[in-house]
Amino acid sequence: MRSKLLLSSFLGLNGALAASGVPVGMEDALTTANMPSEFLEDVYFVDHVPLMALQADPRISYALYIPKAHYNPDPSKSETPKKLPLLVYIHGTGRNTVAIYDELVPFADSAPCAILSPLFPAGMDGPNDLDSYKELKSDSLRSDQALLQVFDQVAYRWPGLEMEKVYMMGFSGGGQFAHRFMYLYPEKLAAISIGAPGRPTFIDDTQDWPIGTKDVKTVFDKTVQPNVIGKLPIQLVVGGNDTEIHGDEAFWEWKKNVLGSGGLPPMNETRLESIKELRASWEKLGIKTQFDVVDGVAHNEKGVREAVLGFLGPQLKKSS
Ligand SMILES: *[C@@H]1O[C@H](CO)[C@@H](O)[C@H](O)[C@H]1NC(C)=O
Ligand SMILES: *[C@@H]1O[C@H](CO)[C@@H](O)[C@H](O)[C@H]1NC(C)=O
């Protein structure tokens, strides 16, 4: 039974929870509630948690930063069970997650919030794979389901984190993942910052995923609901000088010849242009956004960070 569950979960075919309500592979797991709280630092369950494999699919891992001073290891024992909100940081194509170890730490300490940084390695879908996680579905990966499984594993081990709804930020490739995840799971989000997604998906019933959303029911067994998405606080953010196209025509032609033309289309517009189109298309559907264009900044995640945290900070405060 257990191996069957593990296998089907690895293939992304089922939900993340076994019948017992224990996430796959977490049957014997220590949690912050079932161990002495004075040892939490000794097992690395607070402050910087080491990159941890997702038990249901160890190709995926996640780092966590949990400010110890603000974390309650077992809210069920408190009279006022206050949980710490969680901000999910989605990396870009470079898989650079260093922000969780430096830039975002003072923010987490003061917000306060915990930060979760999942890692979807390149190469999961073959030796030349860079993009599969952004599209949510590829031959061997459902990155949306993998993230939900990460959420289940984290919620189980860290009951003091608020996991009903989480905050999310992603820039570039991370912004691509983030807005696609929002289309499918708006009910999981409290607020979201989407930065410079080069090749976005539009809510468009005439084109298939990942360009449009025509086949979302078949591919994901989901319906995109603009009225639900429209209730979310959403930031779209881009550098005012994010006006270069990644790769020239010769590059995209070469890539198509060598790797085929599946998945995301070639980039034929600047990120400043495509984010404006995305915003306008959402407005027609009643989805309002806070649109921040940061002057003088090119395609640079750190360059827009202040604007991102300026949006997320007050949203996090609302939750406390
Ligand atoms: C860019 O490509 C998309 C689809 O691949 C197409 O719909 C769009 O018209 C193109 N835009 C330009 C400016 O060529
Ligand atoms: C940003 O773009 C403007 C207009 O093209 C240009 O004048 C300016 O030098 C650019 N700034 C930076 C920091 O690259």
Side-chain angles (χ1 to χ4, degrees), residues 111-150:
C113 67
I115 301 182
L116 168 70
S117 171
L119 174 60
F120 301 102
M124 279 194 284
D125 230 37
N128 303 315
D129 164 36
L130 282 175
D131 293 331
S132 60
Y133 83 101
K134 302 174 198 170
E135 299 174 40
L136 307 191
K137 182 182 172 27
S138 68
D139 287 348
S140 79
L141 178 68
R142 278 287 301 271
S143 57
D144 59 329
Q145 292 185 342
L147 184 60
L148 296 178
Q149 289 178 315
V150 168

Side-chain angles (χ1 to χ4, degrees), residues 5-14 56-57 140-142 145:
L5 271 173
L6 274 172
L7 180 65
S8 58
S9 159
F10 187 75
L11 297 172
L13 298 177
N14 70 338
D57 182 348
S140 79
L141 178 68
R142 278 287 301 271
Q145 292 185 342

Side-chain angles (χ1 to χ4, degrees), residues 33-72:
N34 72 11
M35 63 170 286
S37 58
E38 65 267 32
F39 299 147
L40 288 177
E41 276 169 280
D42 299 301
V43 292
Y44 293 87
F45 280 2
V46 285
D47 293 333
H48 287 287
V49 177
L51 265 181
M52 182 82 63
L54 170 63
Q55 295 302 310
D57 182 348
R59 298 176 303 171
I60 317 280
S61 56
Y62 57 89
L64 266 174
Y65 176 70
I66 302 179
K68 188 180 154 224
H70 300 288
Y71 181 70
N72 178 353

Side-chain angles (χ1 to χ4, degrees), residues 145-196:
Q145 292 185 342
L147 184 60
L148 296 178
Q149 289 178 315
V150 168
F151 288 175
D152 286 336
Q153 188 170 317
V154 168
Y156 187 74
R157 170 157 282 164
W158 288 276
L161 297 180
E162 181 52 66
M163 301 296 296
E164 284 284 309
K165 286 178 190 278
V166 299
Y167 298 77
M168 186 174 280
M169 63 186 280
F171 184 83
S172 194
Q176 291 198 40
F177 177 100
H179 83 286
R180 293 190 182 106
F181 187 85
M182 177 190 78
Y183 283 166
L184 303 186
Y185 308 97
E187 75 285 355
K188 296 267 174 221
L189 298 171
I192 185 167
S193 167
I194 299 159

